[in-house]
Amino acid sequence: MPLLRRRARTEPQAPPRAIAAAAMPMSGPGVLRASRARKQTSNQDWQREGWYYFDVIGELRGPLVWIANAVSQADVHATELDPETGKPTGPSDNPMAKAAAAQVLGGAARRGGLLRVLALCWQVPGEAWVIVKPTPKRRGQPQPDEWIVLPPSKVKAKGSGDNARWEYTDPMTGADVALEPSARLFRIWCPHPADYIQADSAVRPALPICREVEKASQNIAGRLDSRLASAGLLALADDLDFPKGEHETTAMAFMDELLAAAETGIQQPGTAAAVVPLVFNAPGELIANGGAAAFIDTATEFVTSVVELRDNALARLAATLDMPRDVAAGTQGESNHWSAWQVEESTYKIFIEPLLKEIGDAITQEWFRPALVAMGMDADQAEAYEIGWDTTAIVARPDDTENLRDLHDRLLISDEYMLTENGVPEDARPDDAEYTKRLLEKLVTGAPSLLSDPNVARAMGVEVTVAPAATGVSGEVTGGELEAPAQPEQRALPATQGAEPAPADVPDGLVAAAELLVFDALSRAGGRLITRENRGQHNDTPKWELHTVIATADPGALLRDSFQFSDRVADAYGINSVALDAVLLAYTRSLLADGRAHDRDLLTARLRLMDRRR
């Protein structure tokens, strides 16, 4: 819907902040004063020349369009400013601010095209005019304002005195249209450092270089079109003895024969006629002196260096334009893998962000905040909002997969961060059961004897029946706890009952080291269990026992990145590190799942059942 119906101010005023934009009076004496202030006539010559070279020099047009297309991918949103720092805090949730921002530059449908025109005007003439016109109601319903972006030559001051007004060239019809008082007109420009009101651009200092490129190209094109420059001259001596035939002179007869031979060689390149030399008679002294026929090359040293001169001029042009060298030279596709208009973050920060910032500040000052006030927001409150940009579609960082994988393997970043940086959705993460099963599959692949542990087999969904003598197990594992059998198991040879060797005892040092690993894992899990809701409620409970007072929903997630020193413990005691990892993981998971505290005897029993062979 139209947001601004009021008449713009009648006198040009300096903007309250350093923003390259100013609203213009719609009619009256202020129109001519604003027009004289920008000194339009003195600017038109170099601006017109800039557009000319934009049209005729592809090496200039290509990089400018590349930058403009990158800018056109930006999306707009309303952002709220921090009252203390004045810096934007991100997209705002204010419905009024969001509704106004959605209409900026004609809405989502037209915003990309208008941003592209703005970016090109910023780089070539250094200024652009933005017109916001209220649209008549349709079927009684308000319509969004119409936005128009024009180069400076398409907006002119007309009339004099109180009848002075602005006229612009309609981009759709090409007709000159008087700007109605209900519209809003403002200028966005790149100010010249020596004269702030005057426009400056990246193309302006490149104009002399563009003239060199054009003249060199014209020289090359002219010589390519000239038979004289491309073929040279062939001088024939009058003393040649060659049949004249129907020709007036011997030279003319020889030339006719030479051209016929050349035509035969072109039409029949695979025949002897294409390589057999042309034979003619000449006095011996002429042949000895090399004077029977002479080829005169009309090319000069300067002509042969024109291409080199043009290449040097193009290199200077690439260095002059306000953009990365590889973009200006048209080689950005050779040095990166980004998509068509994506740029690396440093390029965006240096070359594109300043342009978007100027455009955003101009629209904020000259339209967005007045629109918020027109919608009913208090003027002081409107000052807390501005136009921000979403540059997700523009900025592409280099592929850091290898660096991220290295940091993840060294336990310096979390699984959640790894997934986010690689663009993996959260619902792609395996659930607790699948994670445990896949982890145990890897462990069992390295140590198949782990299947003798009923907990491991059960977690993998495998039923394994192992003879007691093979496992050395004198009891059963039920519900995560070791229970003694109700009665001694009968053997085939009663005489040997009770004589089999007892399981090897676990060294006290191994138990102590395993306990430290368990306490570390439980402490990590306890830290992850603390949330905003329960923070400060269990200050008397050690972190490694928080799982006994806080419900645990995902033990697997709580234990990620734990037991990173288990391989060193295994090496110190000469045992299987994979088996030790599996026992510690299964034991700690059972504590978290059941909400039980650590039990040294139970851990020792688990370690005793572990296959310690390397």
Side-chain angles (χ1 to χ4, degrees):
M1 65 179 179
L3 299 181
L4 296 174
R5 293 288 187 180
R6 62 181 179 83
R7 184 186 183 93
R9 57 178 179 264
T10 57
E11 294 294 336
Q13 300 178 13
R17 295 191 296 149
I19 298 174
M24 300 293 172
M26 296 297 101
S27 59
V31 171
L32 297 181
R33 282 196 290 269
S35 181
R36 285 193 295 268
R38 57 187 279 257
K39 299 179 181 179
Q40 181 180 6
T41 55
S42 63
N43 280 342
Q44 283 182 341
D45 292 340
W46 74 263
Q47 290 175 337
R48 187 184 301 109
E49 189 177 9
W51 283 124
Y52 168 75
Y53 288 126
F54 174 81
D55 290 334
V56 300
I57 299 180
E59 292 87 350
L60 174 66
R61 182 190 187 98
L64 297 183
V65 170
W66 191 90
I67 291 291
N69 284 337
V71 172
S72 71
Q73 302 301 307
D75 198 6
V76 70
H77 61 253
T79 182
E80 193 166 356
L81 302 179
D82 186 283
E84 296 182 358
T85 65
K87 295 182 178 180
T89 59
S92 173
D93 293 329
N94 185 291
M96 191 179 298
K98 291 171 65 177
Q103 296 191 39
V104 168
L105 292 172
R110 300 194 58 212
R111 186 176 301 128
L114 295 182
L115 274 175
R116 184 177 183 274
V117 176
L118 273 171
L120 288 175
C121 289
W122 182 274
Q123 296 177 96
V124 181
E127 62 178 313
W129 292 85
V130 180
I131 300 172
V132 187
K133 296 173 51 183
T135 305
K137 292 183 178 181
R138 183 181 302 171
R139 297 178 181 177
Q141 296 296 323
Q143 300 299 312
D145 294 335
E146 179 185 0
W147 290 66
I148 302 174
V149 176
L150 296 171
S153 60
K154 302 301 181 181
V155 178
K156 301 179 179 65
K158 295 290 184 178
S160 61
D162 293 336
N163 295 323
R165 67 192 183 280
W166 292 103
E167 285 189 359
Y168 68 94
T169 302
D170 190 298
M172 302 303 296
T173 64
D176 290 336
V177 180
L179 193 64
E180 58 269 25
S182 60
R184 193 169 186 85
L185 171 70
F186 57 94
R187 175 186 178 224
I188 301 177
W189 78 98
C190 177
H192 193 285
D195 189 355
Y196 188 86
I197 199 64
Q198 296 300 308
D200 192 17
S201 75
V203 169
R204 188 173 188 177
L207 293 178
I209 304 174
C210 290
R211 296 187 195 108
E212 294 181 18
V213 174
E214 182 189 30
K215 290 183 181 299
S217 298
Q218 290 173 344
N219 184 282
I220 295 172
R223 293 186 175 275
L224 289 174
D225 292 338
S226 171
R227 287 182 59 243
L228 183 65
S230 60
L233 301 176
L234 178 63
L236 301 175
D238 290 335
D239 297 336
L240 288 180
D241 185 9
F242 195 84
K244 293 183 180 181
E246 298 178 357
H247 299 85
E248 297 180 0
T249 64
T250 299
M252 293 180 63
F254 179 78
M255 287 299 302
D256 186 65
E257 186 69 19
L258 181 64
L259 292 176
E263 183 178 359
T264 302
I266 293 173
Q267 295 177 350
Q268 304 176 18
T271 64
V275 294
V276 172
L278 187 66
V279 180
F280 60 93
N281 295 326
E285 59 273 16
L286 287 179
I287 297 176
N289 297 329
F295 176 75
I296 302 174
D297 189 358
T298 58
T300 64
E301 183 179 351
F302 174 75
V303 173
T304 58
S305 63
V306 169
V307 175
E308 182 180 351
L309 292 174
R310 184 178 63 174
D311 291 342
N312 291 337
L314 290 175
R316 291 170 54 210
L317 177 63
T320 303
L321 295 178
D322 189 17
M323 62 187 66
R325 180 70 66 88
D326 60 342
V327 174
T331 61
Q332 73 276 5
E334 303 171 6
S335 59
N336 61 61
H337 59 276
W338 303 312
S339 59
W341 312 123
Q342 285 189 312
V343 299
E344 65 176 337
E345 193 164 3
S346 60
T347 298
Y348 167 77
K349 287 288 185 182
I350 298 173
F351 300 101
I352 296 179
E353 185 179 45
L355 170 55
L356 286 175
K357 184 69 168 60
E358 292 289 353
I359 295 175
D361 286 349
I363 295 175
T364 297
Q365 186 71 22
E366 307 298 344
W367 183 85
F368 182 61
R369 286 173 180 162
L372 293 178
V373 174
M375 294 171 68
M377 184 179 290
D378 182 79
D380 293 336
Q381 185 182 2
E383 289 293 324
Y385 294 91
E386 71 175 17
I387 291 298
W389 302 99
D390 179 4
T391 60
T392 304
I394 302 176
V395 182
R397 289 173 293 177
D399 187 1
D400 288 334
T401 303
E402 293 299 326
N403 292 335
L404 291 173
R405 184 180 294 114
D406 179 63
L407 293 174
H408 185 261
D409 292 343
R410 294 164 59 188
L411 308 177
L412 297 177
I413 59 176
S414 66
D415 291 348
E416 289 80 3
Y417 185 84
M418 184 73 172
L419 292 175
T420 301
E421 289 299 300
N422 284 278
V424 180
E426 183 67 23
D427 55 7
R429 182 198 294 271
D431 59 23
D432 185 47
E434 182 182 359
Y435 178 84
T436 303
K437 181 178 179 181
R438 290 167 61 180
L439 177 61
L440 290 175
E441 286 174 351
K442 291 185 177 182
L443 296 175
V444 170
T445 301
S449 59
L450 290 175
L451 281 175
S452 62
D453 188 334
N455 287 326
V456 175
R458 188 183 307 113
M460 295 183 62
V462 178
E463 294 184 5
V464 179
T465 303
V466 183
T471 62
V473 180
S474 58
E476 296 179 347
V477 178
T478 304
E481 296 189 16
L482 186 66
E483 298 180 358
Q487 59 185 8
E489 186 177 17
Q490 295 298 323
R491 298 292 182 176
L493 300 175
T496 63
Q497 183 72 32
E500 60 269 33
D505 201 6
V506 182
D508 292 339
L510 176 58
V511 175
E515 279 190 297
L516 289 177
L517 294 175
V518 170
F519 278 124
D520 177 73
L522 292 176
S523 296
R524 290 172 179 267
R528 291 166 178 166
L529 285 172
I530 298 176
T531 62
R532 185 184 303 174
E533 290 75 14
N534 57 36
R535 190 179 301 275
Q537 298 180 11
H538 307 287
N539 293 334
D540 296 332
T541 305
K543 187 179 290 187
W544 57 86
E545 291 185 357
L546 283 174
H547 66 280
T548 64
V549 294
I550 301 176
T552 302
D554 188 359
L558 297 177
L559 290 176
R560 289 193 178 106
D561 305 330
S562 298
F563 310 116
Q564 63 266 41
F565 301 111
S566 60
D567 55 341
R568 300 187 182 182
V569 173
D571 290 341
Y573 287 92
I575 60 178
N576 190 316
S577 61
V578 177
L580 179 60
D581 273 334
V583 170
L584 294 178
L585 177 64
Y587 169 73
T588 313
R589 282 176 59 86
S590 67
L591 298 183
L592 294 174
D594 299 336
R596 291 182 289 108
H598 164 61
D599 186 339
R600 175 178 295 182
D601 293 336
L602 182 58
L603 174 61
T604 304
R606 294 286 182 91
L607 294 173
R608 187 178 294 115
L609 297 175
M610 179 183 64
D611 184 358
R612 280 176 263 170
R613 294 175 296 178
R614 280 187 176 272

